[in-house]
């Protein structure tokens, strides 16, 4: 994924987004519309073999986790450390598979592509471009793009569960990339990463949340 060092404009965009967020928190209802926001999701499944071509049911299991987590319907929210329990809330965000493609045609919200690569690189974002063996993003202003891939590396580090682009980056690379073994709660999802929480975590970054340690 592109970094601030590679593209200083990203930092300017992030600064503007953070300033807007601070104003929204300060002014409350002036900026915040209390209504459930529905986010259309398009899942681009990049598979090197049939096992990696995950089922529609596995994809739906991931959406179920996302909606439970972001609407405070997950039963394990009570496991939150007591010091933070009063902050747990229904975020009023709902995720659904897109029903139309960018041209307005009826669509399942799932794209599938057989690829020659077995590993995709987080540093080059090759999963996000057809020209580098991936799949081009749908318009970021209208969809949350999720790429499910055989595996992910970054430099010498392999076995990465997933990664996301923070707000402020290029629309062409907006969204998140997740390994097929860490997506959803069934099928190829492999314990202990079979609870769908990799996507929950990465969408947090996509929504401008940082790790709590910095």
């Amino acid at each position: 994924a592109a970094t601030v060092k590679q593209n200083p404009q990203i930092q300017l965009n992030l600064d503007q987004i953070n300033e807007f967020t601070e104003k929204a928190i300060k002014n409350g209802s002036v900026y915040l519309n209390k209504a459930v926001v529905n986010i259309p999701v398009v899942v681009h499944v990049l598979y090197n073999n049939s096992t990696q071509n995950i089922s529609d049911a596995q994809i739906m299991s991931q959406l179920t986790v996302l909606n439970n987590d972001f609407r405070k319907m997950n039963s394990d929210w009570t496991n939150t450390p007591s010091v933070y329990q009063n902050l747990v809330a229904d975020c009023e965000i709902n995720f659904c598979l897109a029903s139309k493609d960018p041209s307005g045609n009826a669509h399942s919200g799932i794209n599938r592509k057989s690829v020659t690569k077995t590993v995709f690189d987080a540093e080059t974002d090759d999963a996000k471009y057809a020209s580098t063996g991936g799949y081009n993003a749908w318009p970021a202003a209208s969809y949350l793009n999720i790429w499910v891939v055989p595996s992910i590396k970054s430099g010498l580090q392999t076995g990465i569960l997933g990664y996301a682009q923070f707000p402020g980056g290029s629309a062409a690379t907006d969204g998140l990339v997740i390994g097929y073994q860490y997506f959803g709660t069934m099928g190829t999802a492999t314990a202990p990463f079979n609870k769908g929480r990799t996507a929950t975590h990465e969408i947090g970054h996509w929504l401008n949340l940082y790790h709590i340690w910095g």
Side-chain angles (χ1 to χ4, degrees):
T3 64
V4 171
K5 186 176 181 180
Q6 292 169 326
N7 182 5
Q9 181 63 43
I10 293 176
Q11 186 61 59
L12 295 176
N13 294 342
L14 283 169
D15 291 343
Q16 291 177 346
I17 291 166
N18 289 332
E19 181 181 359
F20 172 87
T21 303
E22 290 175 8
K23 287 182 178 178
I25 294 170
K26 181 179 179 180
N27 293 286
S29 60
V30 173
Y31 287 95
L32 301 177
N33 179 19
K34 294 288 287 183
V36 175
V37 175
N38 287 299
I39 299 179
V41 177
V42 57
V43 179
H44 312 291
V45 181
L46 308 180
Y47 62 95
N48 184 261
N49 59 49
S50 58
T51 300
Q52 297 162 358
N53 189 15
I54 62 174
S55 68
D56 289 3
Q58 184 170 344
I59 292 170
M60 291 308 300
S61 76
Q62 180 62 75
L63 290 181
T64 296
V65 171
L66 294 177
N67 288 326
N68 285 343
D69 285 348
F70 281 89
R71 296 302 313 275
K72 196 188 172 184
M73 295 188 295
N74 55 308
S75 60
D76 60 353
W77 80 264
T78 54
N79 295 336
T80 305
S82 58
V83 68
Y84 300 121
Q85 282 210 4
N86 67 319
L87 299 175
V88 180
D90 174 2
C91 296
E92 299 186 312
I93 298 174
N94 186 72
F95 300 88
C96 58
L97 284 176
S99 59
K100 294 183 179 180
D101 69 13
S103 299
N105 300 311
H107 198 279
S108 66
I110 302 171
N111 292 313
R112 300 178 182 278
K113 181 180 179 181
S114 176
V115 298
T116 58
K117 291 186 176 182
T118 58
V119 182
F120 285 88
D121 193 334
E123 294 187 8
T124 62
D125 267 338
D126 51 357
K128 302 175 182 179
Y129 298 99
S131 61
T132 54
Y135 203 102
N136 290 340
W138 283 14
S142 301
Y143 305 94
L144 163 57
N145 287 274
I146 300 179
W147 289 266
V148 179
V149 301
S151 64
I152 304 168
K153 72 170 184 175
S154 178
L156 297 177
Q157 185 179 358
T158 59
I160 293 171
L161 304 186
Y163 69 95
Q165 176 170 288
F166 277 87
S170 169
T173 52
D174 188 74
L176 47 143
V177 182
I178 299 179
Y180 79 102
Q181 292 176 297
Y182 320 117
F183 193 77
T185 62
M186 57 177 290
T188 62
T190 304
F193 306 110
N194 59 339
K195 297 183 179 181
R197 263 45 194 278
T198 298
T200 299
H201 179 109
E202 298 305 337
I203 287 175
H205 291 320
W206 183 73
L207 293 170
N208 205 33
L209 297 178
Y210 289 78
H211 291 147
I212 58 173
W213 54 88

